[in-house]
Amino acid sequence: MKKKIIKKISILILISVFHCKTSNISNSQDEEEYEIQYTTADSLNVRKTPSINSEVITQIPFGTKLNTKNTKIIEIYEGKTSAWHLVKEVNGFVLDYFLNKHQINPTIKQLILKSGYAFKRCNAYGIGIYKSLKLSNNEALLTDEFIDFDQGNRKHLSGNYKLNKDSISIELQETEIWKMVYSDGNSNIIEKNKSKDKSIKIINLIWKEQLKGFITEDQKKYLDSEKYNFNIKKCIFTNKKCKHYDPFDQQCTEIRANSDLCDDIGYFCNR
């Protein structure tokens, strides 16, 4: 009886070892099918399925390092035969027309995203936040400017980004703060200081095809709300109740001077 039990245990151990080995071999082979490549477009559309007519699920900046697998599905693009590759990081598809096995000079192209947030627009002088984000070769630069009447602060941040399924995850740290003054449509730097803020700031950009741009986590409420319209050309959300505003109009200045009814909330886009 003991011999039979020992024999069964031995068989189970052998089966378990064999399963582990074959599983490891399978995983190893799957990993070997992927190869490292770099994007060559300033902003590369990633498709839901391997078709040029498929939905765009995100955009990838120039020079981003990717793990790709050739699907052997062919598409004629710009008169050339190209194959669709699965991008492991985002679980979407790109054409190898826009891929290169070697990293290209990082100064050639950038994905430049801009966002503007104008509030209390009935104030004739204007108050707003304007951001410009440059992404390429897994590096990120952000200019974050706050304008209040004729003065402002312009923060400069640098860091890196990585692809995270349905978003671009960016880690940034302040490097400099500039004090600005504005007059006659011009901006002038009056003081530059090294930043003392050593904290890491994280921005998650989520692509929304209906907006043709990226929103942040805190902007989901504008997309899902029935109170806001969005303007693709200007890349903004605006309260639906705001049908007219003119900062020099009497009604605007008296009734809405301190109201956020006509605020523009900008999302990131590359137009």
Side-chain angles (χ1 to χ4, degrees):
M1 184 71 178
K2 286 184 179 180
K3 288 183 178 180
K4 287 183 179 181
I5 292 172
I6 292 169
K7 188 175 181 181
K8 284 183 179 180
I9 291 172
S10 299
I11 292 170
L12 287 172
I13 291 171
L14 285 171
I15 291 171
S16 177
V17 169
F18 178 75
H19 175 74
C20 288
K21 284 185 177 179
T22 53
S23 177
N24 289 337
I25 290 169
S26 175
N27 290 337
S28 175
Q29 288 175 344
D30 186 58
E31 289 297 323
E32 287 175 2
E33 289 181 4
Y34 284 92
E35 60 179 332
I36 293 174
Q37 299 204 70
Y38 299 86
T39 58
T40 62
D42 52 358
S43 58
L44 177 57
N45 289 331
V46 181
R47 305 283 176 176
K48 189 174 183 179
T49 62
S51 167
I52 202 70
N53 297 316
S54 178
E55 176 189 347
V56 176
I57 59 172
T58 192
Q59 288 186 336
I60 300 178
F62 171 82
T64 302
K65 183 179 179 180
L66 303 173
N67 285 282
T68 73
K69 185 187 338 185
N70 193 338
T71 66
K72 307 294 175 66
I73 299 173
I74 302 301
E75 180 110 27
I76 305 300
Y77 184 80
E78 297 289 330
K80 294 183 178 180
T81 301
S82 297
W84 285 98
H85 283 238
L86 173 64
V87 179
K88 185 177 182 180
E89 288 81 358
V90 294
N91 196 30
F93 299 86
V94 298
L95 279 174
D96 62 9
Y97 181 93
F98 300 104
L99 298 174
N100 196 302
K101 293 183 179 181
H102 303 285
Q103 194 168 22
I104 300 172
N105 188 328
T107 61
I108 293 177
K109 297 177 182 177
Q110 291 178 322
L111 172 55
I112 299 177
L113 301 172
K114 295 189 176 182
S115 169
Y117 177 10
F119 55 100
K120 300 195 187 309
R121 293 194 299 171
C122 278
N123 186 307
Y125 294 97
I127 302 175
I129 297 171
Y130 304 94
K131 299 182 181 184
S132 179
L133 181 60
K134 297 179 181 180
L135 303 171
S136 69
N137 293 277
N138 294 97
E139 295 181 352
L141 295 171
L142 174 66
T143 302
D144 188 350
E145 188 164 6
F146 173 72
I147 300 174
D148 185 358
F149 300 102
D150 60 348
Q151 295 184 16
N153 287 319
R154 185 182 295 174
K155 296 180 181 179
H156 296 265
L157 302 92
S158 64
N160 53 66
Y161 68 87
K162 62 181 179 180
L163 304 179
N164 186 19
K165 293 185 179 179
D166 63 344
S167 65
I168 300 176
S169 182
I170 307 167
E171 291 189 1
L172 296 161
Q173 191 174 39
E174 279 184 22
T175 55
E176 283 189 320
I177 300 176
W178 297 358
K179 287 187 177 180
M180 310 292 296
V181 64
Y182 310 93
S183 62
D184 300 324
N186 297 314
S187 61
N188 297 294
I189 305 165
I190 57 174
E191 187 180 331
K192 289 185 180 182
N193 295 300
K194 295 289 183 182
S195 176
K196 295 180 181 179
D197 185 354
K198 301 301 180 183
S199 63
I200 301 297
K201 296 171 176 59
I202 297 175
I203 301 174
N204 286 313
L205 297 182
I206 305 161
W207 174 263
K208 293 297 178 183
E209 176 66 0
Q210 67 267 46
L211 300 176
K212 303 298 181 185
F214 295 90
I215 63 171
T216 54
E217 292 285 350
D218 61 342
Q219 290 179 328
K220 288 181 178 179
K221 59 188 176 187
Y222 301 120
L223 185 63
D224 299 333
S225 173
E226 295 181 356
K227 296 180 180 179
Y228 291 87
N229 288 317
F230 58 84
N231 186 319
I232 291 178
K233 289 184 178 179
K234 294 183 178 180
C235 302
I236 58 170
F237 295 102
T238 304
N239 195 310
K240 289 182 179 179
K241 292 182 180 179
C242 181
K243 297 180 180 179
H244 166 76
Y245 81 94
D246 178 350
F248 297 98
D249 182 86
Q250 185 177 359
Q251 182 184 19
C252 188
T253 54
E254 288 185 2
I255 298 176
R256 297 180 176 176
N258 295 309
S259 169
D260 62 358
L261 186 61
C262 287
D263 287 1
D264 281 339
I265 299 97
Y267 58 87
F268 282 101
C269 65
N270 63 351
R271 291 183 296 283

